[in-house]
Amino acid sequence: VQLQASGGGSVQAGGSLRLSCAVSGSIFYINTMGWYRQTPGEQRELVATINHGSTPNYADSVKGRFTISKDIRKNTVYLEMNSLKPAETGVYYCNAVLIRRPDLGPETYWGQGTLVTVSS
C-alpha cells in the first residue's frame, strides 16, 4: 500500500492550496482517510479526516476554512485549504486506516508529506 501526496507549495497569507493524496495497492476496505500536519517545533496534529461514510472531522483551528473530500473510485482524498495563515506552514501528511484483506485488521499508513509554506 502506498500513499502519494501532492499539491503542496508556497502561498501568501490568506491564499489557498489544494492537497491530494492517492492510495494505491491491494486494498479491501478504507475506513478513514485524512490529513495531519507538523509545524516547526510542534508535534504532528490532526487537520481533518473523512470516514467511509464521508463524514468529515476537523480540527477546531481549521473549521470553516478547510474542506476535506474524497473520490472513492480513485481512492483519493483532497484537502482544500483557504485563508491560510503563516502559522500553518509545515509538512502535511496524508493518512489512511484501511484493511488489506478480509482476514486482517485495520492498519494505518502514511504518505511522504508535502510542504506547505504560507508567507506573511
Side-chain angles (χ1 to χ4, degrees), residues 6-72:
S6 61
S10 297
V11 65
Q12 288 193 327
S16 299
L17 283 174
R18 187 184 193 225
L19 306 182
S20 301
C21 178
V23 183
S24 61
S26 180
I27 301 166
F28 173 70
Y29 177 87
I30 298 178
N31 186 0
T32 62
M33 304 172 76
W35 292 92
Y36 290 70
R37 68 187 176 194
Q38 187 162 16
T39 56
E42 300 293 334
Q43 294 194 346
R44 192 175 299 188
E45 63 176 358
L46 178 145
V47 177
T49 61
I50 187 166
N51 66 11
H52 184 76
S54 297
T55 300
N57 176 52
Y58 296 100
D60 287 343
S61 61
V62 307
K63 285 180 180 177
R65 298 185 297 118
F66 290 14
T67 302
I68 190 169
S69 61
K70 66 178 182 178
D71 184 337
I72 60 174

Side-chain angles (χ1 to χ4, degrees), residues 39-119:
T39 56
E42 300 293 334
Q43 294 194 346
R44 192 175 299 188
E45 63 176 358
L46 178 145
V47 177
T49 61
I50 187 166
N51 66 11
H52 184 76
S54 297
T55 300
N57 176 52
Y58 296 100
D60 287 343
S61 61
V62 307
K63 285 180 180 177
R65 298 185 297 118
F66 290 14
T67 302
I68 190 169
S69 61
K70 66 178 182 178
D71 184 337
I72 60 174
R73 296 167 300 174
K74 298 180 180 179
N75 283 343
T76 299
V77 62
Y78 306 96
L79 185 68
E80 185 75 35
M81 305 185 292
N82 298 313
S83 302
L84 281 160
K85 305 174 182 179
E88 295 178 312
T89 292
V91 179
Y92 285 67
Y93 297 91
C94 61
N95 164 282
V97 179
L98 57 86
I99 298 173
R100 289 186 289 125
R101 298 196 314 256
D103 60 319
L104 297 176
E107 299 169 304
T108 300
Y109 291 86
W110 293 93
Q112 81 282 12
T114 185
L115 179 63
V116 171
T117 302
V118 185
S119 58

